[in-house]
Amino acid sequence: MDLPVRCPGNPEASRAPCSIAESPSCFTKLQGSSNNWIVAYPANGFTSVITGRKGPMLSHFCAATPALFILWIIMAQVAGQEDREKTTALKDLLSRIDLDELMKKDEPPFTFPKTLEEFEYAFNEYGQLRHIKTGETFVFNAREDLHRWNQKRYEALGEIITQYVYELLEKKCNMTKEILPVDATEDEPTGFIYLSPDALSNPSKLLVLIQGSGVVRAGQWARRLIINQDLNSGTQIPFIERAMQEGYGVMVLNPNENYLEVEKPTKSPLPSPTETSDEPAEKRERKDDKEGKKKKEFYEKYRNPQRETETERILIRENGSSEEHVLYVWDHFVSKAAAKNVFIMAHSYGGLSFVELMNQRELEVKNKVCAVALTDSAHNIWLQETTKSTQDWMQEHCRNWVSSPEPLDIPLEPMMPDCPRVSAGTKTVCPKI
C-alpha cells in the first residue's frame, strides 16, 4: 500500500508516496485522521500507532523508539536465559533423586496374615474385635507415614472378616450357600447368596436383605462398624436371628460379588506406528523400544513401586452389577418362593437396586411384596425414571430411615414424592434393631 510518508529527520518535508517497507524507519499519517500516525520499522516488523497533533512530537518519539525496542529485546533474552538456567538446575536436582527410595520409603512388602489368630486379633464375647495380647481395638496406623501399607493391611483384615461372617451365617444361623448363576458351568466365574432352610418353602413370610455398595459381602452392612464397633452393629446376623425367631424364611443377597479377579496376562508391546524418517527402520525400532521402556519404568516407579500383580475382572454372568444381581435373585428365587408375604430391607445402594427391580418387575413386586424398609437409600425416582404408579406404591409400602439428629421414627421433610422419610435416630445410619 502506498501512503504519504514523513521522515523523522525532517517532519515538515514531504516526498512522493512510497511503500512503508521501502524505508527502514518511517511514519505515516492515517488517512481520515489528523492525530493518528503509524510508526513502522520494516526491518524487525515493529509497528506503533501514535496519537498527536504535530509531526515534531512524533519525530522525537520515533528517534527514541529504536533504543526502547532494543532494550525490550535484551530484557526478553535475559529472562529466557534465566528460565533455561532454572530448568537445567531442576533437571539436575531430579537426576540426583533415587525414585525407588523416595517412593518405597522403607515400605514393607504387602505380605499379611491369613487368619485372625495370625493378625493377633479375636472377637470377644460381646462381638468386639480386640487385640489378643493388649485387649486394644484395631489400630489402623500400625506404621507411621506408611498410609498405603496400612490401607493394604486393613483390606487384608477385611477379607478375613468377610470369611468369618460367612462362617457365622453357615454355623450360627444354619444358612446354606446357593451358587449363581444356577446353571453355571465349571469354567465360568460364580457368585452366591445365603438361604435359611425354609427360605423357599415357608408359606407365610420371607425376609430379603440387600446391603449397600463397596467391599461388603453377604451378611455385612458395614465393614468399618464390624472392625471398630462390634458384629451386632456391622453385620446382618441380629436381623437374621430375630426374623427366624418370628417365623420368617430369610434370604441374604450378595450384590457386590460381581466378578472374578484374575492375574492380567502379559502383553507383548505393540509395534510403533510407521513414521516417515531418514533413520534406518532397525535403528528407529531400537530407539522406540528404548524410549518406551524408559517411560514405562518411570511410570511404574510412581504407580506401582512394589510391582503388585496387575489383575483384570471377569464379570459373573447376569450378576455383573448390584442391579443385575437383585433382578436375577428375584427371577430365580424370590418369585419362586412359597411365601405369600415378602418383606425387603435394603441399605444405601441396595435401595437403588430395589427401585430398579420395581422398574423391571413392577406388577410382580406389587403382588408379592408387603413392605420395604430402606436405610439411607441411594435411589432417585427422577434419574431412575420410575412410573407414577411405582411412586404411589412406594408411598404406601416403603419407608426410608435416614441419618438425622432427630429422635427415632420422627417424620422428616420429604425430598421426593416416593416414600416417607423418618429419622433413624443417629447421625450416621447402619441398620439397627
Side-chain angles (χ1 to χ4, degrees):
M1 177 176 65
D2 290 338
L3 295 172
V5 176
R6 296 179 184 274
C7 296
N10 185 6
E12 298 299 323
S14 62
R15 58 186 176 88
C18 68
S19 170
I20 290 177
E22 292 177 8
S23 175
S25 175
C26 58
F27 62 91
T28 304
K29 184 176 180 180
L30 289 178
Q31 292 180 356
S33 171
S34 60
N35 298 326
N36 296 331
W37 298 75
I38 295 177
V39 181
Y41 296 90
N44 48 41
F46 178 76
T47 303
S48 293
V49 177
I50 307 300
T51 300
R53 280 183 167 274
K54 296 182 180 180
M57 291 177 61
L58 189 58
S59 176
H60 293 307
F61 177 82
C62 291
T65 302
L68 293 173
F69 185 65
I70 292 170
L71 178 62
W72 177 79
I73 292 174
I74 294 171
M75 290 175 67
Q77 290 175 340
V78 170
Q81 180 64 27
E82 288 178 355
D83 287 343
R84 284 193 293 273
E85 289 175 358
K86 289 177 182 178
T87 302
T88 303
L90 180 60
K91 287 181 179 178
D92 181 60
L93 177 63
L94 289 173
S95 68
R96 299 166 190 257
I97 298 174
D98 189 328
L99 288 176
D100 283 324
E101 292 303 317
L102 178 67
M103 293 305 297
K104 287 184 180 178
K105 200 178 179 182
D106 298 325
E107 186 178 63
F110 296 149
T111 304
F112 303 103
K114 302 295 183 184
T115 65
L116 277 179
E117 291 75 17
E118 291 176 5
F119 255 106
E120 296 186 334
Y121 281 95
F123 287 100
N124 61 20
E125 58 183 315
Y126 305 107
Q128 301 166 326
L129 187 68
R130 294 291 183 267
H131 194 276
I132 294 172
K133 296 178 180 177
T134 65
E136 294 180 351
T137 57
F138 177 75
V139 177
F140 178 86
N141 289 317
R143 301 205 179 194
E144 291 296 329
D145 301 325
L146 291 175
H147 178 80
R148 197 170 75 118
W149 186 88
N150 289 327
Q151 180 63 33
K152 293 288 184 183
R153 173 174 171 269
Y154 177 82
E155 292 169 5
L157 177 63
E159 291 302 314
I160 294 172
I161 286 175
T162 293
Q163 297 302 319
Y164 184 85
V165 173
Y166 289 159
E167 289 181 18
L168 291 178
L169 292 175
E170 294 171 11
K171 296 176 180 178
K172 187 176 181 180
C173 301
N174 195 30
M175 303 189 82
T176 56
K177 186 185 290 187
E178 288 290 332
I179 301 300
L180 307 179
V182 294
D183 59 347
T185 64
E186 292 183 0
D187 299 330
E188 70 174 310
T190 58
F192 55 87
I193 58 174
Y194 278 98
L195 305 179
S196 66
D198 63 340
L200 298 175
S201 60
N202 189 314
S204 178
K205 300 179 290 187
L206 172 67
L207 174 64
V208 179
L209 300 176
I210 312 173
Q211 75 252 54
S213 61
V215 296
V216 289
R217 295 295 186 266
Q220 301 179 53
W221 293 124
R223 175 186 287 181
R224 177 181 57 82
L225 292 180
I226 296 173
I227 293 175
N228 297 324
Q229 292 191 30
D230 53 49
L231 290 167
N232 282 348
S233 299
T235 73
Q236 299 172 349
I237 290 173
F239 294 82
I240 296 168
E241 291 180 327
R242 180 165 173 177
M244 287 179 172
Q245 290 168 7
E246 296 188 10
Y248 287 78
V250 181
M251 198 173 292
V252 176
L253 273 59
N254 203 5
N256 299 317
E257 188 77 12
N258 308 129
Y259 55 84
L260 174 67
E261 200 161 23
V262 297
E263 187 173 342
K264 197 171 186 179
T266 305
K267 291 183 179 179
S268 56
L270 295 173
S272 57
T274 306
E275 294 179 1
T276 305
S277 173
D278 295 335
E279 290 182 332
E282 187 178 345
K283 183 179 179 182
R284 192 165 62 248
E285 253 180 51
R286 287 199 303 269
K287 183 179 177 182
D288 290 344
D289 288 345
K290 187 176 180 182
E291 288 179 358
K293 187 177 179 183
K294 279 178 69 178
K295 287 179 182 177
K296 185 176 179 182
E297 287 178 352
F298 182 80
Y299 170 73
E300 285 293 330
K301 285 178 180 178
Y302 280 96
R303 190 190 67 81
N304 203 2
Q306 289 208 42
R307 302 285 182 179
E308 297 174 62
T309 303
E310 291 190 358
T311 60
E312 62 181 356
R313 295 173 175 180
I314 304 174
L315 295 179
I316 298 171
R317 176 163 52 92
E318 298 181 81
N319 286 267
S321 67
S322 175
E323 297 92 322
E324 282 189 9
H325 175 82
V326 171
L327 180 62
Y328 187 89
V329 173
W330 175 271
D331 288 343
H332 292 82
F333 295 92
V334 181
S335 65
K336 297 178 180 180
K340 294 179 180 179
N341 303 299
V342 174
F343 300 84
I344 295 177
M345 182 168 188
H347 177 56
S348 188
Y349 200 87
L352 183 148
S353 298
F354 167 75
V355 172
E356 190 60 32
L357 173 65
M358 285 285 296
N359 288 343
Q360 301 292 328
R361 302 288 186 269
E362 183 177 347
L363 291 178
E364 292 181 31
V365 172
K366 288 179 178 180
N367 289 333
K368 205 165 180 70
V369 176
C370 295
V372 180
L374 304 173
T375 56
D376 264 350
S377 177
H379 74 275
N380 186 307
I381 59 172
W382 307 130
L383 295 178
Q384 294 182 260
E385 299 180 348
T386 60
T387 63
K388 178 66 166 58
S389 58
T390 293
Q391 295 170 28
D392 293 341
W393 185 90
M394 290 179 68
Q395 275 282 351
E396 222 176 301
H397 297 85
C398 301
R399 183 175 290 184
N400 187 14
W401 278 266
V402 300
S403 53
S404 168
E406 297 293 330
L408 179 66
D409 290 335
I410 293 296
L412 302 174
E413 285 293 321
M415 296 180 67
M416 294 183 184
D418 48 11
C419 59
R421 297 168 71 247
V422 295
S423 173
T426 57
K427 291 183 179 179
T428 57
V429 173
C430 197
K432 292 180 181 289
I433 289 183

